[in-house]
Amino acid sequence: MVNLTIDGKKYQAEEGQNVLEVALENGIEIPHLCYHENLSPYGGCRLCLVEVTRNGRAFLTTSCTYPCLDGIIVKTDTPEVLRARRLVLELLMPLAPEAPQLQALARQMEIEEPRFKTDEEADDCIRCGLCVRACTELVGAQAITFSGRGYRKTVEPPFGEEALDCIGCGTCVFLCPTGCIQMVDKSAERTIARWQRTLPLKACSSCGRYYIPFAQIEFARQKSREAPAEDWFDLCPDCR
Ligand code: FES
């Protein structure tokens, strides 16, 4: 076990836990957009900044990527921390001005109008990489990736063309903190426009609802010997 202090109170953490995990477990609120408990931390949104003092030296760092170390002192709401988070949010907002999660955070931080603008047209993506990690680590499809650097960085299918490895499972859609990945099911097809991907759907043999891409069934069966037999997918979850 590791002993650390957060906002003046002593806590114990397991080896390998990061500061954000321990703070959240103990009801200490730190804003975060790109952290997910089942994915490797990436530090993409930078909203989870805290002040850490280690060996007498204090610095700001992202709490989702900073490990709990014995004796560290963490402060989550100093004026410097709040100012830095505000600045980060003001930089993110022009990228996704309509995103409800960002707007809610802006209200909490009392930001009426961000001071920054972007020359590029907003595509509602804050480049936090949650979709890329989910596709790689949770799903195992590796259908999308980062391309470009700095302010030109984007998340794209390989070579900017149809994401042929996308199985249409929608994990990226559900996890995206800005809602910038849209998935539309229309009769027998599912389209995820951001990945330029349209996939045929299988219908439930009982209610007739088109509910899962054939590609997702095939992927599950290829990935795992323990995947259910193909006829298990004949019924949708509601009819099963
Ligand atoms: S949650 Fe830590 S950087 Fe996004």
Side-chain angles (χ1 to χ4, degrees):
M1 291 300 257
V2 171
N3 295 297
L4 71 160
T5 305
I6 307 180
D7 293 340
K9 274 179 83 174
K10 302 219 175 295
Y11 295 96
Q12 284 203 317
E14 311 260 351
E15 296 273 349
Q17 277 194 295
N18 63 55
V19 168
L20 179 64
E21 280 169 338
V22 176
L24 296 177
E25 269 174 25
N26 289 285
I28 300 163
E29 238 183 80
I30 297 175
H32 55 279
L33 289 176
C34 72
Y35 164 77
H36 188 286
E37 58 187 358
N38 295 324
L39 296 174
S40 55
Y42 174 64
C45 75
R46 318 224 43 98
L47 267 174
C48 67
L49 287 170
V50 293
E51 181 190 293
V52 172
T53 303
R54 187 178 175 213
N55 298 332
R57 196 172 71 85
F59 50 93
L60 294 187
T61 185
T62 45
S63 56
C64 69
T65 55
Y66 201 84
C68 290
L69 301 171
D70 217 28
I72 60 169
I73 298 168
V74 179
K75 292 183 184 164
T76 69
D77 60 357
T78 66
E80 289 73 24
V81 166
L82 300 181
R83 210 168 23 242
R85 280 190 205 144
R86 224 181 121 95
L87 175 70
V88 168
L89 186 59
E90 285 187 280
L91 289 164
L92 292 178
M93 285 178 74
L95 301 175
E98 307 299 330
Q101 278 208 57
L102 265 61
Q103 290 177 351
L105 285 167
R107 280 193 294 278
Q108 268 176 32
M109 295 185 196
E110 298 178 0
I111 299 170
E112 280 178 14
E113 193 61 44
R115 282 171 288 168
F116 310 107
K117 301 256 176 288
T118 164
D119 294 340
E120 312 277 313
E121 201 178 316
D123 65 357
D124 297 328
C125 170
I126 57 168
R127 282 69 173 161
C128 72
L130 196 49
C131 55
V132 176
R133 283 175 292 144
C135 189
T136 301
E137 297 175 26
L138 280 183
V139 182
Q142 292 178 288
I144 48 175
T145 183
F146 276 117
S147 77
R149 286 170 175 231
Y151 73 96
R152 293 210 181 277
K153 191 171 176 178
T154 55
V155 180
E156 284 188 347
F159 309 110
E161 294 173 3
E162 178 183 358
L164 294 173
D165 290 329
C166 170
I167 56 171
C169 65
T171 305
C172 57
V173 178
F174 299 120
L175 291 183
C176 174
T178 64
C180 74
I181 311 165
Q182 300 293 322
M183 181 168 83
V184 177
D185 285 0
K186 203 167 165 201
S187 60
E189 281 185 343
R190 170 169 294 174
T191 297
I192 302 182
R194 193 157 196 121
W195 314 139
Q196 302 177 37
R197 188 76 164 141
T198 296
L199 293 156
L201 293 170
K202 183 177 174 69
C204 170
S205 61
S206 175
C207 68
R209 179 169 70 89
Y210 290 100
Y211 82 100
I212 189 171
F214 286 101
Q216 188 177 347
I217 299 173
E218 186 52 33
F219 182 81
R221 293 181 48 70
Q222 278 178 11
K223 271 274 169 194
S224 165
R225 290 213 184 105
E226 284 149 38
E230 202 170 338
D231 58 4
W232 190 79
F233 294 99
D234 284 349
L235 296 176
C236 72
D238 295 340
C239 297
R240 225 167 263 154

